[in-house]
Amino acid sequence: MITLQHIIDGDNVTGTSETLFDIYDPSTGKITKQIQGASANDVQKAIKVANEKLASWSQVTASKRAQIMFNYRDLIIKHTDELAKLISQDHGKTFADAKGEVGRGLEVVEYCTAINNHLKSDFSADVSTGIDSYNLRQPIGVCAGIVPFNFPAMVPMWMYPVAIACGNTFVLKLSEKVPSCGLRLTELMHEAGLPNGVLNTVVGDKEAVDEILTNDAVRAISFVGSTPVGEYIYHKGSSHNKRVQALCGAKNHMIVMPDADLEQSSDAIIGAAYGSAGERCMAISVVVAVGDETAEDLIQSLMPKIKSLKIGAYNEPEVEMGPVISKQSQEKILSYIEAGINEGAELRVDGRSETKRDGFFVGGCLFDNVTSNMSIYTDEIFGPVLSVLRVSSYDEALTLVNDHEFGNGTAIFTRDGDTARHFTSHVKVGMVGVNIPIPVPVAMHSFGGWKRSLFGGSSIHGMEGVRFYTQLKTITSRWPSGIRKGAQFHFESGKDA
Ligand code: NAD
């Protein structure tokens, strides 16, 4: 049994909460690691250290901060296999998928190597005679990140590299289900040259989170996770005067038009619905087929592919889909499958026999003739369960997407440019794919949903991330050698000069 520890001020620290967290190998169902959770007191210490280091770190030049990001980039590349293995061991996703996740996090670090450029300010000369105006983007202070289980490396890397490159210090609260990779990534930041105390990483639950939400020294909080928890974090953090961004749950629809390339659409659905066992916030969980013929042809193409998915542990050869994260998650998914059957949907592929294996497996499931009032349609299941809805027109499909409470990602598959253009313009969703099933924005763009998939309005990484982790200062200056006008009692504008 491996015992993990928190990292505060560069030291490995044993937690003092009363909860001992078990970390499982989801492919066997066995406990492999443990960590004594971080108490409110432990988190307080992490925040105190981060606050003490703020003055010195925020004075380090952007070029030096960028140099550490260059070093970090090299270390992540060097340790990619090790990091991916840690992800797969705790989470269960395939090794190839875990490596892909590390690669996506790495791109954010690479974006941060150019932080001097991203922090570059605007300067306006002579806004009035002899008066200049310019902007500074300055660090906001101690920032915190609260992250979910499903991307143990990528989601933390959406946050702390950007915040730290902008001159802030950071407290990272990892998911208690998958902490190994986040802890190793913290060690590598120190190896890259980050001074102790700039990044402090703890593992805990509500007790740890509540300290972050209420501690006066924390100025900005990034949360990624489920909608009920995100809504709580957004409201509580905001009421304690913190800047909060909460990226939350999803139900991502893919519209398949009658003119779409059927095989391309079907392959895209297989990867997007069943990759990572459906445990992605950008997974496709709903297919809206326009026309009965489209629906039937698509389902005929999907069924054999779903039935032949290679399911297994992350390190088995050619495995395509791993287990889900926990026994509770497996049970929740099974209860939704029961609900779907009871509500009248047609289960055309039943993957429940996979639950007989050791570990937390659920095979790929496909529901046909799903309607918008069924719980398998309204709720986020977060497992390998795909619902097909049949509609008779594009307008009906668009209305479904727009009426759903979530608005994280969506996609349309079509050969028709007019339809695609109408869709990208009128759909009420934050991230949209055209013949791309999982349109996750790359690091220089920003990631974020609409509606109840995002609270706080600010997307993550890219320039939105830089804006979130900085505060804007605008300076207007006149030097004594400028023109003297005597006292002015009215608001001046450039036109008065
Ligand atoms: P979760 O909401 O259960 O947990 C997220 C984080 O909040 C964890 O660190 C957890 O320890 C903490 N937490 C849990 N319960 C809490 C409580 N009562 N009070 C305070 N903190 C609490 O989410 P999860 O199960 O780890 O992750 C899956 C969810 O995350 C899905 O809903 C998925 O859609 C969402 N997600 C969203 C995005 C996005 O960008 N929109 C990305 C990845 C995952």
Side-chain angles (χ1 to χ4, degrees), residues 147-150 173 176 206 209 223-226 229 247-249 281 380 382 408 447:
V147 293
F149 79 82
N150 66 325
K173 205 296 287 172
E176 62 280 21
K206 190 172 187 308
V209 170
F223 168 85
V224 177
S226 63
V229 178
L247 288 88
C248 295
C281 64
E380 182 183 44
F382 224 54
N408 212 39
F447 182 111

mmCIF file with all atom_site columns, all heavy atoms in Angstrom, residues 147-150 173 176 206 209 223-226 229 247-249 281 380 382 408 447, ligand 1:
data_model
loop_
_atom_site.group_PDB
_atom_site.id
_atom_site.type_symbol
_atom_site.label_atom_id
_atom_site.label_alt_id
_atom_site.label_comp_id
_atom_site.label_asym_id
_atom_site.label_entity_id
_atom_site.label_seq_id
_atom_site.pdbx_PDB_ins_code
_atom_site.Cartn_x
_atom_site.Cartn_y
_atom_site.Cartn_z
_atom_site.occupancy
_atom_site.B_iso_or_equiv
_atom_site.pdbx_formal_charge
_atom_site.auth_seq_id
_atom_site.auth_comp_id
_atom_site.auth_asym_id
_atom_site.auth_atom_id
_atom_site.pdbx_PDB_model_num
ATOM   1   N N   . VAL A 1 147 ? -10.374 20.676 -8.350  1.00 0.00 ? 147 VAL A N   1
ATOM   2   C CA  . VAL A 1 147 ? -10.433 19.949 -9.630  1.00 0.00 ? 147 VAL A CA  1
ATOM   3   C C   . VAL A 1 147 ? -11.158 18.594 -9.504  1.00 0.00 ? 147 VAL A C   1
ATOM   4   O O   . VAL A 1 147 ? -11.204 18.019 -8.429  1.00 0.00 ? 147 VAL A O   1
ATOM   5   C CB  . VAL A 1 147 ? -9.003  19.750 -10.197 1.00 0.00 ? 147 VAL A CB  1
ATOM   6   C CG1 . VAL A 1 147 ? -8.406  21.087 -10.589 1.00 0.00 ? 147 VAL A CG1 1
ATOM   7   C CG2 . VAL A 1 147 ? -8.092  19.038 -9.208  1.00 0.00 ? 147 VAL A CG2 1
ATOM   8   N N   . PRO A 1 148 ? -11.684 18.094 -10.641 1.00 0.00 ? 148 PRO A N   1
ATOM   9   C CA  . PRO A 1 148 ? -12.453 16.853 -10.625 1.00 0.00 ? 148 PRO A CA  1
ATOM   10  C C   . PRO A 1 148 ? -11.561 15.629 -10.823 1.00 0.00 ? 148 PRO A C   1
ATOM   11  O O   . PRO A 1 148 ? -10.358 15.757 -11.046 1.00 0.00 ? 148 PRO A O   1
ATOM   12  C CB  . PRO A 1 148 ? -13.365 17.023 -11.845 1.00 0.00 ? 148 PRO A CB  1
ATOM   13  C CG  . PRO A 1 148 ? -12.502 17.760 -12.818 1.00 0.00 ? 148 PRO A CG  1
ATOM   14  C CD  . PRO A 1 148 ? -11.640 18.680 -11.995 1.00 0.00 ? 148 PRO A CD  1
ATOM   15  N N   . PHE A 1 149 ? -12.203 14.456 -10.804 1.00 0.00 ? 149 PHE A N   1
ATOM   16  C CA  . PHE A 1 149 ? -11.422 13.218 -10.929 1.00 0.00 ? 149 PHE A CA  1
ATOM   17  C C   . PHE A 1 149 ? -11.083 12.878 -12.383 1.00 0.00 ? 149 PHE A C   1
ATOM   18  O O   . PHE A 1 149 ? -10.151 12.109 -12.643 1.00 0.00 ? 149 PHE A O   1
ATOM   19  C CB  . PHE A 1 149 ? -12.185 12.037 -10.297 1.00 0.00 ? 149 PHE A CB  1
ATOM   20  C CG  . PHE A 1 149 ? -13.277 11.479 -11.181 1.00 0.00 ? 149 PHE A CG  1
ATOM   21  C CD1 . PHE A 1 149 ? -12.975 10.564 -12.186 1.00 0.00 ? 149 PHE A CD1 1
ATOM   22  C CD2 . PHE A 1 149 ? -14.593 11.894 -11.038 1.00 0.00 ? 149 PHE A CD2 1
ATOM   23  C CE1 . PHE A 1 149 ? -13.978 10.060 -13.014 1.00 0.00 ? 149 PHE A CE1 1
ATOM   24  C CE2 . PHE A 1 149 ? -15.596 11.400 -11.862 1.00 0.00 ? 149 PHE A CE2 1
ATOM   25  C CZ  . PHE A 1 149 ? -15.283 10.481 -12.860 1.00 0.00 ? 149 PHE A CZ  1
ATOM   26  N N   . ASN A 1 150 ? -11.836 13.433 -13.348 1.00 0.00 ? 150 ASN A N   1
ATOM   27  C CA  . ASN A 1 150 ? -11.783 12.803 -14.677 1.00 0.00 ? 150 ASN A CA  1
ATOM   28  C C   . ASN A 1 150 ? -10.587 13.221 -15.532 1.00 0.00 ? 150 ASN A C   1
ATOM   29  O O   . ASN A 1 150 ? -10.262 12.525 -16.491 1.00 0.00 ? 150 ASN A O   1
ATOM   30  C CB  . ASN A 1 150 ? -13.103 13.008 -15.435 1.00 0.00 ? 150 ASN A CB  1
ATOM   31  C CG  . ASN A 1 150 ? -13.382 14.435 -15.774 1.00 0.00 ? 150 ASN A CG  1
ATOM   32  O OD1 . ASN A 1 150 ? -13.048 15.328 -15.001 1.00 0.00 ? 150 ASN A OD1 1
ATOM   33  N ND2 . ASN A 1 150 ? -13.978 14.681 -16.919 1.00 0.00 ? 150 ASN A ND2 1
ATOM   34  N N   . LYS A 1 173 ? -6.306  22.102 -4.870  1.00 0.00 ? 173 LYS A N   1
ATOM   35  C CA  . LYS A 1 173 ? -6.997  21.045 -4.107  1.00 0.00 ? 173 LYS A CA  1
ATOM   36  C C   . LYS A 1 173 ? -7.350  19.941 -5.098  1.00 0.00 ? 173 LYS A C   1
ATOM   37  O O   . LYS A 1 173 ? -8.278  20.055 -5.889  1.00 0.00 ? 173 LYS A O   1
ATOM   38  C CB  . LYS A 1 173 ? -8.256  21.628 -3.449  1.00 0.00 ? 173 LYS A CB  1
ATOM   39  C CG  . LYS A 1 173 ? -8.743  20.910 -2.209  1.00 0.00 ? 173 LYS A CG  1
ATOM   40  C CD  . LYS A 1 173 ? -9.210  19.496 -2.419  1.00 0.00 ? 173 LYS A CD  1
ATOM   41  C CE  . LYS A 1 173 ? -10.530 19.388 -3.130  1.00 0.00 ? 173 LYS A CE  1
ATOM   42  N NZ  . LYS A 1 173 ? -10.865 17.985 -3.498  1.00 0.00 ? 173 LYS A NZ  1
ATOM   43  N N   . GLU A 1 176 ? -9.782  13.753 -4.403  1.00 0.00 ? 176 GLU A N   1
ATOM   44  C CA  . GLU A 1 176 ? -9.364  12.702 -3.464  1.00 0.00 ? 176 GLU A CA  1
ATOM   45  C C   . GLU A 1 176 ? -9.354  11.316 -4.124  1.00 0.00 ? 176 GLU A C   1
ATOM   46  O O   . GLU A 1 176 ? -8.783  10.377 -3.587  1.00 0.00 ? 176 GLU A O   1
ATOM   47  C CB  . GLU A 1 176 ? -10.285 12.711 -2.226  1.00 0.00 ? 176 GLU A CB  1
ATOM   48  C CG  . GLU A 1 176 ? -11.759 12.415 -2.469  1.00 0.00 ? 176 GLU A CG  1
ATOM   49  C CD  . GLU A 1 176 ? -12.580 13.587 -3.003  1.00 0.00 ? 176 GLU A CD  1
ATOM   50  O OE1 . GLU A 1 176 ? -12.003 14.540 -3.572  1.00 0.00 ? 176 GLU A OE1 1
ATOM   51  O OE2 . GLU A 1 176 ? -13.821 13.534 -2.880  1.00 0.00 ? 176 GLU A OE2 1
ATOM   52  N N   . LYS A 1 206 ? -14.921 18.394 1.323   1.00 0.00 ? 206 LYS A N   1
ATOM   53  C CA  . LYS A 1 206 ? -15.645 19.642 1.597   1.00 0.00 ? 206 LYS A CA  1
ATOM   54  C C   . LYS A 1 206 ? -14.951 20.490 2.676   1.00 0.00 ? 206 LYS A C   1
ATOM   55  O O   . LYS A 1 206 ? -14.911 21.711 2.574   1.00 0.00 ? 206 LYS A O   1
ATOM   56  C CB  . LYS A 1 206 ? -17.072 19.291 2.018   1.00 0.00 ? 206 LYS A CB  1
ATOM   57  C CG  . LYS A 1 206 ? -18.002 20.471 2.108   1.00 0.00 ? 206 LYS A CG  1
ATOM   58  C CD  . LYS A 1 206 ? -19.419 20.022 2.330   1.00 0.00 ? 206 LYS A CD  1
ATOM   59  C CE  . LYS A 1 206 ? -20.396 21.167 2.261   1.00 0.00 ? 206 LYS A CE  1
ATOM   60  N NZ  . LYS A 1 206 ? -20.083 22.299 3.098   1.00 0.00 ? 206 LYS A NZ  1
ATOM   61  N N   . VAL A 1 209 ? -12.238 22.335 1.002   1.00 0.00 ? 209 VAL A N   1
ATOM   62  C CA  . VAL A 1 209 ? -12.796 23.309 0.050   1.00 0.00 ? 209 VAL A CA  1
ATOM   63  C C   . VAL A 1 209 ? -13.395 24.500 0.800   1.00 0.00 ? 209 VAL A C   1
ATOM   64  O O   . VAL A 1 209 ? -13.195 25.665 0.409   1.00 0.00 ? 209 VAL A O   1
ATOM   65  C CB  . VAL A 1 209 ? -13.852 22.625 -0.849  1.00 0.00 ? 209 VAL A CB  1
ATOM   66  C CG1 . VAL A 1 209 ? -14.621 23.653 -1.663  1.00 0.00 ? 209 VAL A CG1 1
ATOM   67  C CG2 . VAL A 1 209 ? -13.186 21.600 -1.774  1.00 0.00 ? 209 VAL A CG2 1
ATOM   68  N N   . PHE A 1 223 ? -12.839 26.447 -10.314 1.00 0.00 ? 223 PHE A N   1
ATOM   69  C CA  . PHE A 1 223 ? -13.421 25.134 -9.989  1.00 0.00 ? 223 PHE A CA  1
ATOM   70  C C   . PHE A 1 223 ? -13.780 24.433 -11.281 1.00 0.00 ? 223 PHE A C   1
ATOM   71  O O   . PHE A 1 223 ? -14.321 25.053 -12.210 1.00 0.00 ? 223 PHE A O   1
ATOM   72  C CB  . PHE A 1 223 ? -14.689 25.297 -9.132  1.00 0.00 ? 223 PHE A CB  1
ATOM   73  C CG  . PHE A 1 223 ? -15.492 24.019 -9.012  1.00 0.00 ? 223 PHE A CG  1
ATOM   74  C CD1 . PHE A 1 223 ? -15.175 23.066 -8.047  1.00 0.00 ? 223 PHE A CD1 1
ATOM   75  C CD2 . PHE A 1 223 ? -16.552 23.757 -9.871  1.00 0.00 ? 223 PHE A CD2 1
ATOM   76  C CE1 . PHE A 1 223 ? -15.895 21.871 -7.951  1.00 0.00 ? 223 PHE A CE1 1
ATOM   77  C CE2 . PHE A 1 223 ? -17.287 22.570 -9.781  1.00 0.00 ? 223 PHE A CE2 1
ATOM   78  C CZ  . PHE A 1 223 ? -16.956 21.637 -8.811  1.00 0.00 ? 223 PHE A CZ  1
ATOM   79  N N   . VAL A 1 224 ? -13.521 23.133 -11.342 1.00 0.00 ? 224 VAL A N   1
ATOM   80  C CA  . VAL A 1 224 ? -14.044 22.299 -12.424 1.00 0.00 ? 224 VAL A CA  1
ATOM   81  C C   . VAL A 1 224 ? -14.634 21.059 -11.770 1.00 0.00 ? 224 VAL A C   1
ATOM   82  O O   . VAL A 1 224 ? -13.958 20.389 -10.977 1.00 0.00 ? 224 VAL A O   1
ATOM   83  C CB  . VAL A 1 224 ? -12.935 21.924 -13.432 1.00 0.00 ? 224 VAL A CB  1
ATOM   84  C CG1 . VAL A 1 224 ? -13.502 20.987 -14.501 1.00 0.00 ? 224 VAL A CG1 1
ATOM   85  C CG2 . VAL A 1 224 ? -12.355 23.169 -14.105 1.00 0.00 ? 224 VAL A CG2 1
ATOM   86  N N   . GLY A 1 225 ? -15.886 20.757 -12.076 1.00 0.00 ? 225 GLY A N   1
ATOM   87  C CA  . GLY A 1 225 ? -16.533 19.589 -11.477 1.00 0.00 ? 225 GLY A CA  1
ATOM   88  C C   . GLY A 1 225 ? -18.016 19.582 -11.792 1.00 0.00 ? 225 GLY A C   1
ATOM   89  O O   . GLY A 1 225 ? -18.450 20.172 -12.792 1.00 0.00 ? 225 GLY A O   1
ATOM   90  N N   . SER A 1 226 ? -18.800 18.961 -10.931 1.00 0.00 ? 226 SER A N   1
ATOM   91  C CA  . SER A 1 226 ? -20.237 18.802 -11.217 1.00 0.00 ? 226 SER A CA  1
ATOM   92  C C   . SER A 1 226 ? -21.004 20.105 -10.942 1.00 0.00 ? 226 SER A C   1
ATOM   93  O O   . SER A 1 226 ? -20.545 20.964 -10.175 1.00 0.00 ? 226 SER A O   1
ATOM   94  C CB  . SER A 1 226 ? -20.802 17.667 -10.369 1.00 0.00 ? 226 SER A CB  1
ATOM   95  O OG  . SER A 1 226 ? -20.690 18.009 -9.002  1.00 0.00 ? 226 SER A OG  1
ATOM   96  N N   . VAL A 1 229 ? -22.063 21.019 -7.085  1.00 0.00 ? 229 VAL A N   1
ATOM   97  C CA  . VAL A 1 229 ? -20.913 21.472 -6.280  1.00 0.00 ? 229 VAL A CA  1
ATOM   98  C C   . VAL A 1 229 ? -20.413 22.817 -6.810  1.00 0.00 ? 229 VAL A C   1
ATOM   99  O O   . VAL A 1 229 ? -20.118 23.744 -6.041  1.00 0.00 ? 229 VAL A O   1
ATOM   100 C CB  . VAL A 1 229 ? -19.779 20.415 -6.274  1.00 0.00 ? 229 VAL A CB  1
ATOM   101 C CG1 . VAL A 1 229 ? -18.589 20.911 -5.474  1.00 0.00 ? 229 VAL A CG1 1
ATOM   102 C CG2 . VAL A 1 229 ? -20.277 19.084 -5.710  1.00 0.00 ? 229 VAL A CG2 1
ATOM   103 N N   . LEU A 1 247 ? -16.545 25.725 -13.773 1.00 0.00 ? 247 LEU A N   1
ATOM   104 C CA  . LEU A 1 247 ? -16.868 25.003 -15.014 1.00 0.00 ? 247 LEU A CA  1
ATOM   105 C C   . LEU A 1 247 ? -17.506 23.680 -14.613 1.00 0.00 ? 247 LEU A C   1
ATOM   106 O O   . LEU A 1 247 ? -16.901 22.916 -13.855 1.00 0.00 ? 247 LEU A O   1
ATOM   107 C CB  . LEU A 1 247 ? -15.600 24.755 -15.835 1.00 0.00 ? 247 LEU A CB  1
ATOM   108 C CG  . LEU A 1 247 ? -15.020 26.010 -16.486 1.00 0.00 ? 247 LEU A CG  1
ATOM   109 C CD1 . LEU A 1 247 ? -14.057 26.726 -15.570 1.00 0.00 ? 247 LEU A CD1 1
ATOM   110 C CD2 . LEU A 1 247 ? -14.310 25.654 -17.779 1.00 0.00 ? 247 LEU A CD2 1
ATOM   111 N N   . CYS A 1 248 ? -18.707 23.436 -15.109 1.00 0.00 ? 248 CYS A N   1
ATOM   112 C CA  . CYS A 1 248 ? -19.526 22.382 -14.499 1.00 0.00 ? 248 CYS A CA  1
ATOM   113 C C   . CYS A 1 248 ? -19.981 21.322 -15.489 1.00 0.00 ? 248 CYS A C   1
ATOM   114 O O   . CYS A 1 248 ? -19.365 21.104 -16.520 1.00 0.00 ? 248 CYS A O   1
ATOM   115 C CB  . CYS A 1 248 ? -20.697 23.054 -13.802 1.00 0.00 ? 248 CYS A CB  1
ATOM   116 S SG  . CYS A 1 248 ? -20.149 24.078 -12.418 1.00 0.00 ? 248 CYS A SG  1
ATOM   117 N N   . GLY A 1 249 ? -21.109 20.661 -15.148 1.00 0.00 ? 249 GLY A N   1
ATOM   118 C CA  . GLY A 1 249 ? -21.593 19.469 -15.844 1.00 0.00 ? 249 GLY A CA  1
ATOM   119 C C   . GLY A 1 249 ? -22.060 19.726 -17.269 1.00 0.00 ? 249 GLY A C   1
ATOM   120 O O   . GLY A 1 249 ? -22.113 20.868 -17.736 1.00 0.00 ? 249 GLY A O   1
ATOM   121 N N   . CYS A 1 281 ? -16.244 15.691 -19.694 1.00 0.00 ? 281 CYS A N   1
ATOM   122 C CA  . CYS A 1 281 ? -17.285 16.724 -19.703 1.00 0.00 ? 281 CYS A CA  1
ATOM   123 C C   . CYS A 1 281 ? -17.625 17.122 -21.139 1.00 0.00 ? 281 CYS A C   1
ATOM   124 O O   . CYS A 1 281 ? -18.609 17.797 -21.380 1.00 0.00 ? 281 CYS A O   1
ATOM   125 C CB  . CYS A 1 281 ? -16.831 17.938 -18.921 1.00 0.00 ? 281 CYS A CB  1
ATOM   126 S SG  . CYS A 1 281 ? -15.424 18.709 -19.679 1.00 0.00 ? 281 CYS A SG  1
ATOM   127 N N   . GLU A 1 380 ? -26.966 14.357 -16.463 1.00 0.00 ? 380 GLU A N   1
ATOM   128 C CA  . GLU A 1 380 ? -25.621 13.920 -16.846 1.00 0.00 ? 380 GLU A CA  1
ATOM   129 C C   . GLU A 1 380 ? -25.370 12.556 -16.190 1.00 0.00 ? 380 GLU A C   1
ATOM   130 O O   . GLU A 1 380 ? -25.383 12.433 -14.965 1.00 0.00 ? 380 GLU A O   1
ATOM   131 C CB  . GLU A 1 380 ? -24.581 14.933 -16.346 1.00 0.00 ? 380 GLU A CB  1
ATOM   132 C CG  . GLU A 1 380 ? -23.175 14.578 -16.757 1.00 0.00 ? 380 GLU A CG  1
ATOM   133 C CD  . GLU A 1 380 ? -22.114 15.535 -16.200 1.00 0.00 ? 380 GLU A CD  1
ATOM   134 O OE1 . GLU A 1 380 ? -22.181 15.891 -15.016 1.00 0.00 ? 380 GLU A OE1 1
ATOM   135 O OE2 . GLU A 1 380 ? -21.215 15.920 -16.969 1.00 0.00 ? 380 GLU A OE2 1
ATOM   136 N N   . PHE A 1 382 ? -22.587 10.493 -16.988 1.00 0.00 ? 382 PHE A N   1
ATOM   137 C CA  . PHE A 1 382 ? -21.122 10.398 -16.852 1.00 0.00 ? 382 PHE A CA  1
ATOM   138 C C   . PHE A 1 382 ? -20.658 8.942  -16.896 1.00 0.00 ? 382 PHE A C   1
ATOM   139 O O   . PHE A 1 382 ? -19.943 8.452  -16.021 1.00 0.00 ? 382 PHE A O   1
ATOM   140 C CB  . PHE A 1 382 ? -20.647 11.099 -15.573 1.00 0.00 ? 382 PHE A CB  1
ATOM   141 C CG  . PHE A 1 382 ? -19.413 11.942 -15.802 1.00 0.00 ? 382 PHE A CG  1
ATOM   142 C CD1 . PHE A 1 382 ? -19.382 12.903 -16.788 1.00 0.00 ? 382 PHE A CD1 1
ATOM   143 C CD2 . PHE A 1 382 ? -18.270 11.759 -15.024 1.00 0.00 ? 382 PHE A CD2 1
ATOM   144 C CE1 . PHE A 1 382 ? -18.250 13.672 -17.014 1.00 0.00 ? 382 PHE A CE1 1
ATOM   145 C CE2 . PHE A 1 382 ? -17.126 12.517 -15.238 1.00 0.00 ? 382 PHE A CE2 1
ATOM   146 C CZ  . PHE A 1 382 ? -17.127 13.471 -16.240 1.00 0.00 ? 382 PHE A CZ  1
ATOM   147 N N   . ASN A 1 408 ? -22.341 22.956 -22.525 1.00 0.00 ? 408 ASN A N   1
ATOM   148 C CA  . ASN A 1 408 ? -20.875 22.874 -22.555 1.00 0.00 ? 408 ASN A CA  1
ATOM   149 C C   . ASN A 1 408 ? -20.369 22.717 -23.990 1.00 0.00 ? 408 ASN A C   1
ATOM   150 O O   . ASN A 1 408 ? -19.791 23.624 -24.563 1.00 0.00 ? 408 ASN A O   1
ATOM   151 C CB  . ASN A 1 408 ? -20.415 21.695 -21.693 1.00 0.00 ? 408 ASN A CB  1
ATOM   152 C CG  . ASN A 1 408 ? -19.076 21.950 -21.038 1.00 0.00 ? 408 ASN A CG  1
ATOM   153 O OD1 . ASN A 1 408 ? -18.822 23.079 -20.602 1.00 0.00 ? 408 ASN A OD1 1
ATOM   154 N ND2 . ASN A 1 408 ? -18.222 20.950 -20.960 1.00 0.00 ? 408 ASN A ND2 1
ATOM   155 N N   . PHE A 1 447 ? -11.492 27.638 -22.824 1.00 0.00 ? 447 PHE A N   1
ATOM   156 C CA  . PHE A 1 447 ? -12.439 26.538 -22.666 1.00 0.00 ? 447 PHE A CA  1
ATOM   157 C C   . PHE A 1 447 ? -13.538 26.990 -21.721 1.00 0.00 ? 447 PHE A C   1
ATOM   158 O O   . PHE A 1 447 ? -13.271 27.428 -20.609 1.00 0.00 ? 447 PHE A O   1
ATOM   159 C CB  . PHE A 1 447 ? -11.683 25.341 -22.065 1.00 0.00 ? 447 PHE A CB  1
ATOM   160 C CG  . PHE A 1 447 ? -12.513 24.092 -21.881 1.00 0.00 ? 447 PHE A CG  1
ATOM   161 C CD1 . PHE A 1 447 ? -12.274 22.972 -22.669 1.00 0.00 ? 447 PHE A CD1 1
ATOM   162 C CD2 . PHE A 1 447 ? -13.515 24.022 -20.921 1.00 0.00 ? 447 PHE A CD2 1
ATOM   163 C CE1 . PHE A 1 447 ? -13.030 21.814 -22.502 1.00 0.00 ? 447 PHE A CE1 1
ATOM   164 C CE2 . PHE A 1 447 ? -14.274 22.869 -20.756 1.00 0.00 ? 447 PHE A CE2 1
ATOM   165 C CZ  . PHE A 1 447 ? -14.025 21.768 -21.544 1.00 0.00 ? 447 PHE A CZ  1
HETATM 166 P P1  . NAD B 2 .   ? -17.377 16.723 -8.192  1.00 0.00 ? 1   NAD B P1  1
HETATM 167 O O1  . NAD B 2 .   ? -18.199 17.946 -8.328  1.00 0.00 ? 1   NAD B O1  1
HETATM 168 O O2  . NAD B 2 .   ? -17.910 15.600 -7.362  1.00 0.00 ? 1   NAD B O2  1
HETATM 169 O O3  . NAD B 2 .   ? -15.951 17.089 -7.523  1.00 0.00 ? 1   NAD B O3  1
HETATM 170 C C1  . NAD B 2 .   ? -15.170 18.140 -8.026  1.00 0.00 ? 1   NAD B C1  1
HETATM 171 C C2  . NAD B 2 .   ? -14.305 18.685 -6.899  1.00 0.00 ? 1   NAD B C2  1
HETATM 172 O O4  . NAD B 2 .   ? -15.147 19.226 -5.869  1.00 0.00 ? 1   NAD B O4  1
HETATM 173 C C3  . NAD B 2 .   ? -13.430 17.630 -6.231  1.00 0.00 ? 1   NAD B C3  1
HETATM 174 O O5  . NAD B 2 .   ? -12.179 18.203 -5.940  1.00 0.00 ? 1   NAD B O5  1
HETATM 175 C C4  . NAD B 2 .   ? -14.189 17.284 -4.961  1.00 0.00 ? 1   NAD B C4  1
HETATM 176 O O6  . NAD B 2 .   ? -13.336 16.889 -3.914  1.00 0.00 ? 1   NAD B O6  1
HETATM 177 C C5  . NAD B 2 .   ? -14.884 18.582 -4.615  1.00 0.00 ? 1   NAD B C5  1
HETATM 178 N N1  . NAD B 2 .   ? -16.165 18.365 -3.936  1.00 0.00 ? 1   NAD B N1  1
HETATM 179 C C6  . NAD B 2 .   ? -17.024 17.320 -4.094  1.00 0.00 ? 1   NAD B C6  1
HETATM 180 N N2  . NAD B 2 .   ? -18.119 17.489 -3.319  1.00 0.00 ? 1   NAD B N2  1
HETATM 181 C C7  . NAD B 2 .   ? -17.955 18.660 -2.673  1.00 0.00 ? 1   NAD B C7  1
HETATM 182 C C8  . NAD B 2 .   ? -18.762 19.382 -1.744  1.00 0.00 ? 1   NAD B C8  1
HETATM 183 N N3  . NAD B 2 .   ? -19.943 18.924 -1.321  1.00 0.00 ? 1   NAD B N3  1
HETATM 184 N N4  . NAD B 2 .   ? -18.301 20.549 -1.288  1.00 0.00 ? 1   NAD B N4  1
HETATM 185 C C9  . NAD B 2 .   ? -17.113 21.037 -1.698  1.00 0.00 ? 1   NAD B C9  1
HETATM 186 N N5  . NAD B 2 .   ? -16.300 20.398 -2.581  1.00 0.00 ? 1   NAD B N5  1
HETATM 187 C C10 . NAD B 2 .   ? -16.717 19.226 -3.056  1.00 0.00 ? 1   NAD B C10 1
HETATM 188 O O7  . NAD B 2 .   ? -16.998 16.244 -9.651  1.00 0.00 ? 1   NAD B O7  1
HETATM 189 P P2  . NAD B 2 .   ? -16.256 14.913 -10.090 1.00 0.00 ? 1   NAD B P2  1
HETATM 190 O O8  . NAD B 2 .   ? -17.190 13.761 -9.887  1.00 0.00 ? 1   NAD B O8  1
HETATM 191 O O9  . NAD B 2 .   ? -14.908 14.854 -9.488  1.00 0.00 ? 1   NAD B O9  1
HETATM 192 O O10 . NAD B 2 .   ? -16.072 15.190 -11.664 1.00 0.00 ? 1   NAD B O10 1
HETATM 193 C C11 . NAD B 2 .   ? -17.056 14.938 -12.619 1.00 0.00 ? 1   NAD B C11 1
HETATM 194 C C12 . NAD B 2 .   ? -17.852 16.183 -12.933 1.00 0.00 ? 1   NAD B C12 1
HETATM 195 O O11 . NAD B 2 .   ? -16.980 17.208 -13.380 1.00 0.00 ? 1   NAD B O11 1
HETATM 196 C C13 . NAD B 2 .   ? -18.840 15.978 -14.081 1.00 0.00 ? 1   NAD B C13 1
HETATM 197 O O12 . NAD B 2 .   ? -20.031 16.633 -13.752 1.00 0.00 ? 1   NAD B O12 1
HETATM 198 C C14 . NAD B 2 .   ? -18.173 16.646 -15.263 1.00 0.00 ? 1   NAD B C14 1
HETATM 199 O O13 . NAD B 2 .   ? -19.042 17.105 -16.269 1.00 0.00 ? 1   NAD B O13 1
HETATM 200 C C15 . NAD B 2 .   ? -17.492 17.781 -14.589 1.00 0.00 ? 1   NAD B C15 1
HETATM 201 N N6  . NAD B 2 .   ? -16.403 18.304 -15.395 1.00 0.00 ? 1   NAD B N6  1
HETATM 202 C C16 . NAD B 2 .   ? -16.602 19.491 -16.014 1.00 0.00 ? 1   NAD B C16 1
HETATM 203 C C17 . NAD B 2 .   ? -15.617 20.017 -16.821 1.00 0.00 ? 1   NAD B C17 1
HETATM 204 C C18 . NAD B 2 .   ? -15.814 21.329 -17.527 1.00 0.00 ? 1   NAD B C18 1
HETATM 205 O O14 . NAD B 2 .   ? -14.829 21.882 -17.977 1.00 0.00 ? 1   NAD B O14 1
HETATM 206 N N7  . NAD B 2 .   ? -17.021 21.846 -17.644 1.00 0.00 ? 1   NAD B N7  1
HETATM 207 C C19 . NAD B 2 .   ? -14.403 19.327 -16.990 1.00 0.00 ? 1   NAD B C19 1
HETATM 208 C C20 . NAD B 2 .   ? -14.228 18.120 -16.328 1.00 0.00 ? 1   NAD B C20 1
HETATM 209 C C21 . NAD B 2 .   ? -15.248 17.623 -15.524 1.00 0.00 ? 1   NAD B C21 1
#
